[in-house]
Amino acid sequence: MNITVYLGANEGNDPVLRDAVIELGTWIGQSGNALVYGGSKNGLMGILADSVLKAGGQVTGIEPRFFVEKDFQHDGLTRLIITRDMSERKNKMIELGNAFIAFPGGTGTLEEIAEVMSQVSLKQLDAPCILYNLDGYYDSLKMLLNHMTEKGLSSKERQEGIYFAHNLEQIKRLLEIRH
């Protein structure tokens, strides 16, 4: 299965993030699954790609041309797809993915996983959408989704397929259930 992971090109200031992303990448590489991600060599993105590759896995990076022009792309990937812009990148990452994970990240990560959440809720995408809620990182988003339901602006049915996982074991279970 192609697992699309959204995460930051920054490393962050919490060493738990680095350890968890290495654990995730190592599992993807060893499990026979493949990684689809944003294509950067920087920050958590680069660490994830390196850990999948080191574990013997396949990695497809999808990088917009303007990042390649700034030399942000990871040159050691199994496959690098260069897109015109961020919108084309986002669409390609969704097209290639069979499952989607949002690792803790910034506004880009949030924007990308929001697109997946929307497509899942509209039943335009039949794939698990997992927010890696490491140390409660996405608790506020979970509360917001619940608030949307309470206010009648969303529903439990609309949010089926959107999951919050606190660790890699929960992610593995969610992916086993769905495939």
Side-chain angles (χ1 to χ4, degrees):
M1 136 175 42
N2 285 336
I3 301 173
T4 298
V5 179
Y6 302 103
L7 71 172
N10 293 323
E11 196 167 331
N13 58 14
D14 185 347
V16 168
L17 295 173
R18 180 185 185 84
D19 294 343
V21 87
I22 290 170
E23 180 187 43
L24 176 62
T26 301
W27 171 74
I28 290 171
Q30 291 175 346
S31 66
N33 294 305
L35 172 66
V36 175
Y37 86 117
S40 179
K41 64 184 175 186
N42 299 320
L44 294 173
M45 291 174 74
I47 294 167
L48 177 64
D50 288 341
S51 63
V52 174
L53 292 165
K54 184 177 178 185
Q58 304 285 308
V59 179
T60 299
I62 304 170
E63 190 81 281
R65 182 164 308 287
F66 70 91
F67 280 155
V68 173
E69 290 167 357
K70 294 179 181 181
D71 197 34
F72 290 165
Q73 80 281 357
H74 191 302
D75 291 322
L77 304 178
T78 310
R79 179 173 163 210
L80 178 65
I81 298 170
I82 300 172
T83 61
R84 284 186 312 275
D85 54 28
M86 294 294 277
S87 292
E88 185 181 349
R89 174 205 223 182
K90 188 170 50 170
N91 290 334
K92 192 64 154 171
M93 290 175 76
I94 292 170
E95 175 190 322
L96 295 178
N98 305 113
F100 301 87
I101 298 172
F103 195 80
T107 53
T109 300
L110 182 61
E111 188 263 339
E112 290 170 321
I113 201 63
E115 172 84 18
V116 173
M117 292 167 62
S118 179
Q119 287 193 30
V120 166
S121 72
L122 295 171
K123 310 301 185 225
Q124 298 297 303
L125 184 60
D126 182 24
C129 174
I130 302 169
L131 292 115
Y132 193 158
N133 198 20
L134 186 66
D135 291 338
Y137 189 83
Y138 285 113
D139 281 351
S140 297
L141 180 56
K142 188 174 187 178
M143 287 173 43
L144 178 60
L145 293 175
N146 289 335
H147 187 65
M148 290 173 181
T149 300
E150 290 166 5
K151 292 294 182 182
L153 299 170
S154 186
S155 66
K156 291 199 183 298
E157 295 75 32
R158 273 283 174 90
Q159 293 181 20
E160 286 174 4
I162 301 170
Y163 306 99
F164 290 81
H166 293 282
N167 55 48
L168 181 57
E169 290 308 311
Q170 289 181 346
I171 291 171
K172 289 180 194 178
R173 281 196 298 278
L174 288 167
L175 294 176
E176 287 170 9
I177 290 168
R178 288 297 305 255
H179 282 78

